[in-house]
Every structure is written in C-alpha cells, then in structure tokens.
Amino acid sequence: MPKEFTDEFEPLLIKDLYGQKQPKLPNRSLVLAACAACIGGTFQFGYNISVINAPTTDVHNFINQTWIERYQIGIPESVLTLLWSTIVSIFTIGGLLGVTVGGTLSVKHGRKGTLLVNNAFAIIAALLMGLSYPTGYFELLIIGRFITGLNAGIGLCVQPLYLGEIAPTAFRGSMGMGTSISITLGLLAGQVVGLKELLGKEDSWPILLATTCVPAFLQLLILPWFPESPRYLLIDRGDSEGCKKALKQLHGVSRCDGELDDIEKEKRGLADFKAKTPWELLCDRSIRLQVLTVMLLHVAQQLNGINAIYFYANYLFTQSGISAESIPYVTLGTGACELVTALTCGIVIDRLGRKVLIVGGYILMSICCILFTLTLSYQSASPIVPYLSIVSVFAFILSFGLGPGGVTNILTTELFTQATRPAAYIIAGSLNWLSFFLISMVFPFLVVWLEQYCFLVFMVVCTCMAIYIFFVVPETKNKTFIEIQNEFKSSKKARTVDATGMTQLLSI
C-alpha cells in the first residue's frame, strides 16, 4: 500500500485494533468531570438568561424609586425602558467579549484552568448585583450583567472544548450534549428559583440575581478534583505523563490505550504545533469548508426562529385563555420538555449519529414554521386553533432541542483538530452572539412588516440548513478527529477531480 494511503487510513487501523469491544457506558469519573465542568460553564448562560425575567417589575420600581431620590422627580418612561433594555441586552455584549477571549485563555491556561478562573467573574457579578439595592445604585446592575455575560461567553467557548477533549470517541456525542443539557437545566433552574413561592417576591430580587455565585462556588469545590484535558496536556504542553494519568482517571486503566494512541497520532500530524489565531484559521484554505460549515451552523442556530418562538409563546398562552399568574408555570413546562428532549438526544446521538438528528431537527422545524404561520393566520376560525398554535410551539422547541440545539456545538468540536479548535470556537461563538443580538433587534420590526408570515423567513433558513448539512457535512459518529479531517480532504479531492474531468471533457 502506498505511504500516502497508509498515512490517511492509519487511524482506521488503530480504531480497529482498539475498538473491537466498545464500552456500553462511560467511566463514572468521566461523567462526574463533565458535570463539574457544566455546573459553572454553560449552566450559567442558561441561568442568567432566564433569571432576569422574574424581577422585571421589581427592578423597574427600584430604578424609579432611586431616580426620585436622586432628582426629586419620576423617571421618564422612555429613560426607564432604555435602562431596563440596557440591563438585559448588555449581557450579550459581555458574552461577545467573553467568547473572543475564551479561546485565547484556554490555550494559555488550559481548559480546566480557564473554567476555574472564569468563576471569579460570576462571583464579582453576583456581589455587584446583590449590592445594587442596599446601596441605591442601579448602575451596579448594568455592570453586573455585563460581567455575567463575560462569564457566560467564556463558559460557552471553553466548556464544549473541555467536554469534547476528555470524551472517548465512542461517547463524544453524549458528552458533548452536556453543553445543551446544562444550558436547558440553567434555563429551568432560573425559572424555578424566580417563582413567587421562592425568590420571585418583591423584596428578594437582589438575592435572586446574586444566586449566580452558587454554581461558581460549586465548580470551584468540585472541578479541581478532576484532571486537565488529556489532549491539551500532551499536544499543547507536551506532558506525556500528565496525559496518561488524566486518561487513566477519566477512562479507566483498561480503556485509555486506544485514546492515547489517537492523541499521539494527532500530535504527530501537527508538526511544529502552534495554536492558530482566528485570522489564520480564516485564511487557511485547507480547512475552509469546515470553517464555513461551523459559521453557518452557529448563525442558523440563532436565526432559525427559536428566539422568535419564545417571544411569541406568552402571547399565545394569553390568547388561549391561560391566566397571567399561570403563564410562568406553563413556561416551566416548556423548559421541562426541552430538558427531556436534550437528555433523549444525549442518549441516542451516539447511536443515530449527528447528521440524522440535526437534519431531522431542521426539517421538523421547517414544518412547524408552516403550521405556526397557518394557525396564527386563522386564530379566530375556531376555539381549538390557539391550542394548535401552542402545540406548534412545543413541537418547534422539541425539534430544536433534538437537533440544532445540541448537535451544533458537538460538530464545532469534531470538525477541527487541536491546533484549530480554540480559534474555531472564537469565530463560531462570536457569530452566535452577534446573531443573537441581531435577531433581538430585528425581530420586532420583522413582526410589524410581515406579521405572522415572518415565520416563513425562518422556514427558509431551516430548510436551507437541512439541505446544506445533508449534502456537505459528513457523519462524524465514532470517528476520530483525524478521520474526520481526512474525510473532508477526500471529499475536497473528489470535487477537484470531478471539476478537472469536466474541464477536460469540455475541452475535447
């Protein structure tokens, strides 16, 4: 066999040697390490998105009262709206900054080290927001929310890196779903803690916002007991002994040899290793298709209509006769359904594969957009139509959780190697936050212009993504990072050969 083919298919030979008997369940230490990373990572993102909704009226009253004490006059409605919008939206600006520095920090200080340091931002933010009421400075809320966004942005960038690099090939999908599951858990926890029966009372909102420090302290207590990413230790730091020790703790003594060979193979393929910057990644023609794919995936994750559906949900619940007091509990039900979907996806993803789930999810979301448009257009046609709209909302959320919500971050990990992965997360995360900000600004105008037909725009986005992924993105289930890279290279060579053959045929 020629050497170039031997090099290309060596990962397959290694996998056959060590992968004859795949374990049915991951090692307990691996699962606990993933939980420790999630609790102070993407859990914070979900928690801080949802927890700010409960004290809306109470914060409004606090700002108005503070304004009167300072200026002896009530705050103008437009200024109050501007201040509240700033408190809510500055979280996205902090998140954008966080994701741009998260990749760099993960290279310098390691994945685990960055997650631990990141908790300092959550603790500082909790202190500022908790002190805003007793000190009478609503400006502390703005600063605290910005720092909270910074914490969430770093967590969203680094935690998926850590999960993807500590997981064995056979469980990389399940471990990667920890990102989606922890975000959903955070959303649900924020909704629960914000109920009137708990910390949603008028005098409890400073404590409610300060609870963001609880996950931070938990991670500081638990995560130090688990090792740094084995790939980071060997490839980035050249610490062979540390890598072996980490693999034994995470995978068990009997399972670590195959993963060690996979990491060493990747290290040998990265001559003169140096982590790429985002600009270097964008200029690298050899992985341009992977970069384009991840950029499209993350933009579509925000522009597929999921945020619009959440925006419309309360309106639909009211139209269906649900009282305002009951809406938080119904919303809690949607969060619970999304959590069940994420858990289900985590169970089946390593059996069905990434491609089936994400393509199927986008197709189902496209269908839901059509149904949603129809039910909104005929709300008054029958008393049952508003309930069909609610069913469409639940179906859309479940389809998102089953596909794009969980698989997107996993593919971001799998489509790149150690040298390019941090930069890929910086690019993908930046686009994700920018798209989140864009849809928040544009959607209200889109509703005014197109009314219920705005969901047809989201249908086009979902359909286009389903087609692109089906034809361009290979299945990554049970494949090493090197195998996935080789598959992209092989498909690129095939397209080049086809184009050359067509040119020669036309020249005859």
Side-chain angles (χ1 to χ4, degrees):
M1 181 181 290
K3 185 178 184 301
E4 61 267 26
F5 290 103
T6 304
D7 292 341
E8 183 169 342
F9 292 103
E10 185 178 346
L12 296 174
L13 301 177
I14 291 173
K15 195 168 107 175
D16 287 342
L17 181 63
Y18 293 102
Q20 292 175 353
K21 293 183 179 180
Q22 293 289 357
K24 293 183 179 180
L25 295 172
N27 194 40
R28 181 175 62 181
S29 180
L30 178 66
V31 175
L32 293 175
C35 292
C38 290
I39 191 64
T42 51
F43 178 91
Q44 291 278 40
F45 171 74
Y47 186 79
N48 285 293
I49 281 181
S50 66
V51 80
I52 195 66
N53 294 321
T56 301
T57 303
D58 300 326
V59 175
H60 280 194
N61 293 337
F62 164 63
I63 295 174
N64 189 42
Q65 177 187 347
T66 304
W67 193 275
I68 291 173
E69 291 174 356
R70 290 182 186 179
Y71 306 109
Q72 290 74 50
I73 189 174
I75 187 171
E77 189 67 29
S78 59
V79 177
L80 178 62
T81 303
L82 176 63
L83 287 172
W84 174 247
S85 300
T86 303
I87 290 170
V88 174
S89 61
I90 202 167
F91 177 81
T92 61
I93 299 174
L96 178 60
L97 178 61
V99 81
T100 57
V101 301
T104 304
L105 290 174
S106 71
V107 173
K108 291 183 177 179
H109 304 292
R111 289 37 166 163
K112 173 187 165 183
T114 302
L115 286 172
L116 290 173
V117 171
N118 189 35
N119 290 301
F121 293 117
I123 294 169
I124 292 170
L127 186 64
L128 291 173
M129 292 188 291
L131 291 174
S132 60
Y133 182 76
T135 59
Y137 287 100
F138 57 77
E139 293 85 355
L140 294 179
L141 286 175
I142 298 174
I143 300 171
R145 284 286 292 175
F146 173 79
I147 298 175
T148 301
L150 185 66
N151 168 265
I154 293 173
L156 271 172
C157 178
V158 181
Q159 183 208 292
L161 271 175
Y162 183 72
L163 295 184
E165 292 179 4
I166 67 172
T169 302
F171 297 113
R172 201 166 56 227
S174 300
M175 289 294 103
M177 278 302 300
T179 297
S180 178
I181 292 169
S182 59
I183 290 174
T184 310
L185 269 173
L187 289 166
L188 195 61
Q191 292 168 354
V192 171
V193 176
L195 293 174
K196 294 291 184 183
E197 292 80 358
L198 296 174
L199 295 178
K201 299 185 286 289
E202 182 178 355
D203 57 346
S204 301
W205 67 264
I207 301 173
L208 174 64
L209 296 182
T211 53
T212 188
C213 69
V214 176
F217 283 122
L218 283 174
Q219 187 175 72
L220 286 172
L221 287 172
I222 302 170
L223 188 58
W225 295 96
F226 298 97
E228 178 58 86
S229 158
R231 289 181 180 274
Y232 176 81
L233 290 172
L234 182 60
I235 299 176
D236 292 64
R237 294 298 185 194
D239 185 358
S240 179
E241 288 303 316
C243 175
K244 291 176 183 177
K245 185 179 178 181
L247 286 172
K248 287 177 182 179
Q249 181 180 349
L250 293 170
H251 302 165
V253 177
S254 61
R255 301 178 183 178
C256 66
D257 290 341
E259 290 300 320
L260 180 59
D261 281 334
D262 176 32
I263 298 173
E264 288 177 341
K265 168 66 180 177
E266 185 175 342
K267 180 178 174 62
R268 289 194 299 270
L270 296 171
D272 301 323
F273 171 80
K274 182 185 176 184
K276 290 182 179 289
T277 65
W279 180 249
E280 289 172 337
L281 192 66
L282 290 171
C283 296
D284 190 341
R285 302 175 71 91
S286 65
I287 53 174
R288 184 164 293 177
L289 185 58
Q290 290 98 305
V291 174
L292 175 63
T293 297
V294 166
M295 290 171 69
L296 290 174
L297 284 171
H298 279 265
V299 170
Q301 192 178 35
Q302 295 297 336
L303 303 187
N304 57 28
I306 185 66
N307 296 304
I309 289 290
Y310 279 123
F311 176 81
Y312 251 110
N314 287 347
Y315 165 76
L316 289 174
F317 295 154
T318 305
Q319 288 293 104
S320 303
I322 299 173
S323 65
E325 293 78 12
S326 301
I327 285 178
Y329 301 95
V330 178
T331 305
L332 201 62
T334 64
C337 287
E338 191 173 354
L339 176 60
V340 171
T341 306
L343 290 169
T344 304
C345 186
I347 294 170
V348 302
I349 190 168
D350 284 317
R351 294 182 176 88
L352 298 179
R354 289 65 157 146
K355 197 166 182 175
V356 171
L357 289 176
I358 194 167
V359 171
Y362 272 122
I363 290 173
L364 290 174
M365 289 165 70
S366 300
I367 296 171
C368 289
C369 283
I370 297 172
L371 295 175
F372 205 57
T373 303
L374 291 174
T375 53
L376 285 174
S377 299
Y378 299 100
Q379 284 282 297
S380 57
S382 170
I384 200 173
V385 174
Y387 295 98
L388 292 176
S389 297
I390 293 177
V391 171
S392 299
V393 168
F394 276 87
F396 190 96
I397 293 172
L398 294 178
S399 301
F400 175 80
L402 190 64
V407 181
T408 298
N409 276 311
I410 296 173
L411 287 176
T412 308
T413 299
E414 294 181 326
L415 297 187
F416 297 91
T417 57
Q418 197 75 6
T420 55
R421 198 175 294 122
Y425 266 100
I426 292 175
I427 294 170
S430 299
L431 284 173
N432 203 307
W433 283 97
L434 285 171
S435 301
F436 180 49
F437 180 76
L438 177 66
I439 195 66
S440 301
M441 296 296 293
V442 172
F443 181 69
F445 298 100
L446 204 62
V447 171
V448 172
W449 295 334
L450 301 177
E451 297 181 340
Q452 69 270 23
Y453 299 104
C454 65
F455 288 95
L456 295 179
V457 177
F458 302 129
M459 181 207 71
V460 173
V461 173
C462 293
T463 304
C464 290
M465 282 308 301
I467 294 170
Y468 177 85
I469 295 167
F470 182 80
F471 286 106
V472 175
V473 182
E475 178 55 67
T476 59
K477 180 184 72 171
N478 290 333
K479 294 177 182 176
T480 66
F481 296 127
I482 299 296
E483 286 179 278
I484 297 167
Q485 290 293 305
N486 286 338
E487 191 158 344
F488 269 101
K489 289 177 183 177
S490 298
S491 63
K492 184 177 179 180
K493 289 177 183 177
R495 286 192 298 272
T496 304
V497 170
D498 289 344
T500 304
M502 181 63 69
T503 304
Q504 291 175 347
L505 183 64
L506 291 173
S507 64
I508 296 175

